[in-house]
Amino acid sequence: MKKNKILVTGGLGFIGSHTVVELQQKGFDVVIIDDLSNTRIEVLDGITAITGVRPEFVQMDLKDKVHVASFFEQHSIDGVIHFAASKAVGESVEQPLKYYENNISTLVYLLKNMTKNKVPHLIFSSSCTVYGQADELPITENAPVKKAESPYGNTKQIGEEIIQDVTKVFDLNAIALRYFNPIGAHESVEIGELPLGVPQNLIPYVTQTAAGIREELSVFGHDYPTPDGTAVRDYIHVVDLAKAHIIALQRLLEGKNKSKMEYFNLGTGTGSSVLDVINAFKKANQMDVNYKIVARREGDITSAYADTKLANEELGWKANLGLEEALSSAWQWQLKQK
Ligand code: UFG
């Protein structure tokens, strides 16, 4: 039987690389497009070490219309998992046009080529950021999409809308996966998160502080209306998250989707505060993390965690790995970095 060939854009990034591993382990043929703007080529070796298969890799910027068009003419693709995007919230405020060009223009070209070449399935990397500070917790997929706090968040909202419009008139089925906070690394420690420069996200900052690369973690805000005053998020192991992509893709390939565009929250359903994360890190790794409490970070919401019912019931997916397992893998990955 012919294997399905899946294009993974941004397949050498954090979530992309873990998803490529899961795809190959399920027997899919994978071709990766990545421009290496926020990762390293060595990730390809990591994927190969885990799976025993070196995926086909094309270094390409999705803004390069001519090459994207010829790529689709030369490859017969059964489905696309689209990760490639810029993702730094703060940078997006400073450079909105970079974000609209990198995340929106590229999505439009991708969809043009998919529809022209009759590629019928798309999994889109979305974010719980579309909900802003939700009025009710846990957050269901029916929670209203609120005005985005940043151009980055806006690109995820607009991206979902563009895809939905396209599914209405073309033979395209899509699933938007709204991630909560992905963390951790593959258990082999061959792949993980590669933040460039000073990390903006909590977990790489924690591991770099424990490793002595950063002096002290700043805990942003101690006066939130939460049990310990620090902000609450739903931290999900990247391997659990990656597995959900394969299930969503299979749902489309088997025609089990109930509408042409579906949306699923991907989280654990459990909220953890910043102090909970620090404590879980200490427990999992027997390592202390220096920290100090500072003012809130602008744009941060108080609390977000997922209602996992729809993903559990419709996709048959749930997160299996816990916070300590994720923090243990993140630490092992940190130890491997030079
Ligand atoms: N935090 C700190 N100190 C740090 C870094 C983070 O206290 O040095 C806190 C933040 O204030 C927040 C929590 O840790 O309360 C998590 O922060 P992250 O930056 O790790 O994650 P965010 O929830 O802010 O953002 C993430 C992704 C975005 C995505 C968003 C959706 O980074 O891409 O979730 O809500 F849009």
Side-chain angles (χ1 to χ4, degrees):
M1 202 178 83
K2 186 186 154 285
K3 284 187 184 177
N4 282 307
K5 184 152 195 158
I6 307 303
L7 165 62
V8 183
T9 73
L12 296 184
F14 177 41
I15 309 171
S17 58
H18 288 82
T19 301
V20 169
V21 164
E22 298 298 323
L23 280 170
Q24 294 200 147
Q25 288 179 336
K26 287 277 182 217
F28 288 98
D29 260 346
V30 174
V31 52
I32 294 172
I33 291 181
D34 200 302
D35 66 357
L36 300 178
S37 60
N38 195 22
T39 187
R40 297 194 206 121
I41 187 68
E42 288 76 18
V43 176
L44 209 48
D45 300 330
I47 293 169
T48 312
I50 299 168
T51 62
V53 180
R54 197 168 184 86
E56 189 180 340
F57 168 60
V58 180
Q59 183 173 350
M60 192 194 291
D61 185 338
L62 287 177
K63 293 195 289 298
D64 183 346
K65 281 183 173 177
V66 174
H67 283 107
V68 174
S70 62
F71 172 90
F72 273 91
E73 275 154 24
Q74 284 159 19
H75 290 78
S76 171
I77 303 290
D78 298 297
V80 177
I81 307 184
H82 180 47
F83 293 103
S86 297
K87 61 170 189 176
V89 178
E91 185 191 52
S92 79
V93 176
E94 304 295 320
Q95 301 179 53
L97 291 174
K98 172 177 170 182
Y99 277 70
Y100 290 117
E101 187 173 39
N102 283 1
N103 297 4
I104 300 297
S105 305
T106 54
L107 175 65
V108 173
Y109 304 151
L110 184 70
L111 288 165
K112 271 189 158 181
N113 283 287
M114 286 179 70
T115 51
K116 183 171 175 223
N117 293 281
K118 302 196 169 18
V119 181
H121 308 299
L122 173 66
I123 307 293
F124 178 61
S125 195
S126 190
S127 168
C128 69
T129 191
V130 300
Y131 301 117
Q133 180 55 68
D135 298 325
E136 284 172 41
L137 294 168
I139 303 173
T140 71
E141 288 77 357
N142 293 326
V145 167
K146 291 203 174 158
K147 178 158 173 41
E149 296 267 353
S150 67
Y152 162 76
N154 209 19
T155 65
K156 292 299 171 188
Q157 293 187 4
I158 298 169
E160 287 188 353
E161 286 172 9
I162 291 172
I163 295 166
Q164 181 160 38
D165 288 343
V166 175
T167 61
K168 286 179 190 158
V169 288
F170 286 98
D171 184 13
L172 177 77
N173 290 278
I175 294 180
L177 297 176
R178 293 171 171 168
Y179 315 145
F180 282 68
N181 287 53
I183 62 165
H186 194 267
E187 62 175 358
S188 64
V189 214
E190 294 286 352
I191 53 174
E193 194 169 4
L194 285 171
L196 295 182
V198 180
Q200 303 299 310
N201 296 117
L202 179 62
I203 280 40
Y205 211 105
V206 166
T207 61
Q208 291 196 8
T209 305
I213 300 167
R214 313 276 158 211
E215 208 170 302
E216 201 167 43
L217 168 73
S218 295
V219 173
F220 298 135
H222 198 241
D223 56 351
Y224 284 104
T226 60
D228 66 17
T230 63
V232 167
R233 298 287 184 277
D234 184 340
Y235 296 93
I236 174 161
H237 198 301
V238 65
V239 171
D240 276 331
L241 194 66
K243 290 187 168 141
H245 290 75
I246 286 69
I247 296 172
L249 177 69
Q250 270 163 339
R251 180 178 174 90
L252 294 183
L253 290 168
E254 290 165 14
K256 290 186 177 157
N257 48 314
K258 295 197 171 141
S259 58
K260 293 197 76 185
M261 172 105 183
E262 295 182 312
Y263 306 82
F264 293 100
N265 287 345
L266 296 182
T268 65
T270 301
S272 305
S273 71
V274 179
L275 295 181
D276 288 337
V277 169
I278 294 171
N279 289 329
F281 183 85
K282 284 184 189 167
K283 195 163 165 225
N285 302 307
Q286 311 299 318
M287 288 290 300
D288 259 331
V289 183
N290 292 331
Y291 73 88
K292 65 170 182 236
I293 309 271
V294 301
R296 292 184 183 193
R297 181 171 71 178
E298 208 185 323
D300 273 351
I301 56 166
T302 301
S303 200
Y305 50 95
D307 186 318
T308 59
K309 193 163 176 261
L310 192 68
N312 291 173
E313 291 180 359
E314 276 299 316
L315 295 178
W317 169 90
K318 76 177 194 14
N320 285 317
L321 302 165
L323 181 60
E324 284 183 33
E325 278 162 300
L327 292 171
S328 159
S329 65
W331 177 236
Q332 292 308 313
W333 170 251
Q334 179 66 53
L335 290 175
K336 253 191 88 173
Q337 308 309 304
K338 282 164 223 127

